[in-house]
Amino acid sequence: MGFLDNSSITVDAILTKRGRQILANGGDLGITKFALSDEEVDYTLYDVTHPNGTDSYGAVIENMSLLEATPSRTTFRSFLVDTPVSGMTLNVGSLDLGVLGKNEPISINPETVGGLTEQYEFTIENTNVVRFNGGLSTTRTASSVQLNTQSINIRAATTITVKGLSSGLVKVINLTVEADPGSGIDPLGPLNDGGAGMANSGQSAGNPYG
Amino acid sequence: MAYKDLTNEDISADTGVVTSGIWQDGASSINTFFSSSTQYTNTGDYNIDVYRYDPSANASASVQFGVVYGHREGSGSLGTKGATGDRTTAAIFGQFNQLINPPETTNFTFQGNTTAKQFYAITLNRARMREAIEPGGWELHLSSSIGKIKLVDDFSTNNGGNTFARNFAPEYNVVSGSLIGGTTIDTAASAETPSAIGSYGTFYPALGMILLNPEKLGTATLNLPHSTGSNSDDRNNRKLFDAIVDGGYFQMRRKEEISSLHYFIRATSGRFNATTNETFYTQSIAGTKQVIPAMSTEPKTYITTVGLYNNANELIAIAKLSKPILKSKSREALIKVKLDF
């Protein structure tokens, strides 16, 4: 007689740089929710012609080894959601804003084409390079945002990730900021968000910043 | 919506004690001991850094512990009051006395010996020790031309430690004994004779420190000599180091308390059965997404990563699975995410 498998999967988590920053400042991690991602999975490898039958359709995906977690992540490339985003596209304008100078304004007005109007979560990878107007946080929830490039002493690139809060659709915008010889800010130095990241919790919908 | 709220039932906290070998490469016992000629030449009158591997031949050799000798009046080192010399043994005595003993204490106490004005100390490298040494988990062999002794602490019979008022607790006694086959203690510290010489020493697990009583080590069995000449560079720490080298065995484990938070991630049957992953969809010429044929009739997704967020939607922690796990309307997934501090 065999025994039923009553085990759950146990995995170790690592803190992100933001998590470490909160701990270092003596704060509470305040973890209240989770999201699941299927990063690294290529669904085109799901093979419905596999000779071993339906159980083996996903063998190529299920047998792969995944990469380790890295602490510098601020978001994921894809998320598991409840409803397929068929027919929907997230339009954020240009995905490459090119090379910009210091203190240049950036406006991002996302639109979920084919879906309901929704709020978006904007995440800046490096707030030394670009910041939201009127705030130092790395993440902001709004229907649109205004940002400004920063004065930095060496040329640096960063990303702004836009995620539809209802659809889960994700787009990543790239930009580079030119060096400002008069600046003393190292873009690769510690992120300065002033602990303000938590302050945007619970911002009301439909209240664009900047 | 990509997020799912965690309830109090989904989160549990616990604290576990983890013990591991303290020495380089994770070993719990070592048999070889080396010093660095450079260090010994420069600061050897204060302390001797002890290595598991020869630092002159092995670039990865790291300091495991230090050996010092302290004397209240500075005996055994160069210098006296009013004369040149660093009085290194007096400096060591004052340093340890100020750290361990209450104010206005001028002697160390080794059970019946309450007026000890000298000691040897073995101080563990902080990085090796991490948080504390495991009481009842170390054994040190010392050997001289006369004999050999095996030293352990008396944690097995003195769980709470000594009741002498020191700046650090617990304090255990160093006794003659062995850990092999279970802890055996030859003679209790309080029963060592003659009482005026006292016990072999004291042990402070939280400090990573073993104090040894030179007077006791100088008696029968080991007869380890020490010199207390005035204004004389006697290097008594070298005598203890040599006894450790000749003893050829030092076993020790470190102890750490790890606080963990467990998050039970429940992906119920009706949720997370679709994805924003681009490969899940085809894209028509008009740019409209459609689920790929393989997934269109019975959608399946794969979980590779769990992200933990705060109220501000900031990604606080990440857990990666070793392999993707299948999720569909007929399958639920329960993933326990462990976050250590």
Side-chain angles (χ1 to χ4, degrees), chain B residues 259-279:
Chain B
S259 298
S260 302
L261 280 172
H262 301 277
Y263 297 91
F264 291 90
I265 305 300
R266 302 171 209 273
T268 49
S269 61
R271 297 206 58 185
F272 302 113
N273 296 318
T275 175
T276 62
N277 188 314
E278 294 288 342
T279 65

Side-chain angles (χ1 to χ4, degrees), chain B residues 47-319:
Chain B
N47 66 291
I48 300 173
D49 287 341
V50 183
Y51 299 76
R52 180 184 185 189
Y53 301 114
D54 185 354
S56 64
N58 186 331
S60 67
S62 61
V63 177
Q64 307 293 290
F65 60 91
V67 174
V68 298
Y69 170 82
H71 192 285
R72 190 176 63 195
E73 276 101 40
S75 299
S77 62
L78 292 174
T80 59
K81 281 184 179 174
T84 57
D86 286 338
R87 303 185 70 215
T88 56
T89 61
I92 294 287
F93 184 94
Q95 182 182 26
F96 281 67
N97 185 42
Q98 195 274 337
L99 180 68
I100 293 173
N101 288 327
E104 300 182 14
T105 306
T106 55
N107 299 304
F108 279 82
T109 296
F110 299 115
Q111 287 293 331
N113 182 352
T114 59
T115 58
K117 59 181 181 182
Q118 59 179 332
F119 61 82
Y120 294 111
I122 293 170
T123 62
L124 272 295
N125 180 279
R126 214 295 304 167
R128 300 242 60 84
M129 182 182 81
R130 292 188 183 163
E131 193 173 298
I133 297 170
E134 184 189 25
W138 66 270
E139 177 176 333
L140 171 65
H141 295 184
L142 299 177
S143 186
S144 69
S145 58
I146 307 295
K148 182 173 185 176
I149 57 166
K150 299 175 181 178
L151 299 176
V152 297
D153 65 52
D154 64 353
F155 171 78
S156 62
T157 57
N158 182 22
N159 290 134
N162 294 334
T163 55
F164 307 124
R166 309 268 192 256
N167 291 338
F168 291 92
E171 174 196 83
Y172 298 101
N173 299 299
V174 177
V175 292
S176 172
S178 174
L179 298 181
I180 297 168
T183 305
T184 55
I185 294 175
D186 300 330
T187 308
S190 57
E192 290 284 1
T193 56
S195 175
I197 287 182
S199 64
Y200 280 102
T202 50
F203 163 54
Y204 302 90
L207 285 179
M209 233 174 245
I210 299 171
L211 294 193
L212 296 174
N213 179 0
E215 292 177 76
K216 184 65 178 174
L217 295 182
T219 61
T221 307
L222 188 64
N223 277 317
L224 183 69
H226 63 277
S227 306
T228 53
S230 176
N231 197 13
S232 169
D233 188 11
D234 293 329
R235 301 288 172 114
N236 286 315
N237 53 7
R238 186 86 209 179
K239 297 181 175 76
L240 178 63
F241 172 73
D242 291 340
I244 293 171
V245 172
D246 292 341
Y249 186 81
F250 200 170
Q251 174 184 337
M252 187 171 274
R253 286 197 298 261
R254 61 190 170 204
K255 188 178 82 167
E256 256 185 313
E257 281 188 6
I258 305 285
S259 298
S260 302
L261 280 172
H262 301 277
Y263 297 91
F264 291 90
I265 305 300
R266 302 171 209 273
T268 49
S269 61
R271 297 206 58 185
F272 302 113
N273 296 318
T275 175
T276 62
N277 188 314
E278 294 288 342
T279 65
F280 196 77
Y281 303 93
T282 60
Q283 197 125 28
S284 70
I285 295 171
T288 305
K289 291 175 186 298
Q290 297 297 330
V291 176
I292 56 175
M295 294 291 179
S296 58
T297 52
E298 192 185 345
K300 295 178 176 64
T301 55
Y302 287 93
I303 302 169
T304 63
T305 311
V306 179
L308 301 175
Y309 293 81
N310 62 13
N311 271 335
N313 293 345
E314 292 175 312
L315 182 59
I316 302 298
I318 304 171

Side-chain angles (χ1 to χ4, degrees), chain A residues 9 11 13-14 16 32-35 37-41 43 62 79 81 85 87 121 163 165 168 198, chain B residues 1 3-4 6 272 274-277 279 281 289 302 304-305 307 309-310 313-316 318 320 336 338:
Chain A
I9 298 164
V11 288
I14 61 159
T16 60
T32 56
K33 53 189 154 186
F34 72 87
S37 174
D38 57 359
E39 274 189 338
E40 302 178 48
V41 171
Y43 286 94
E62 289 158 24
F79 290 89
V81 291
V85 291
E121 184 183 292
K163 182 173 75 174
L165 280 185
M198 304 283 285
Chain B
M1 179 66 182
Y3 298 119
K4 184 179 178 186
L6 291 160
F272 302 113
T275 175
T276 62
N277 188 314
T279 65
Y281 303 93
K289 291 175 186 298
Y302 287 93
T304 63
T305 311
Y309 293 81
N310 62 13
N313 293 345
E314 292 175 312
L315 182 59
I316 302 298
I318 304 171
K320 291 293 291 273
K336 186 167 90 169
K338 183 164 170 269

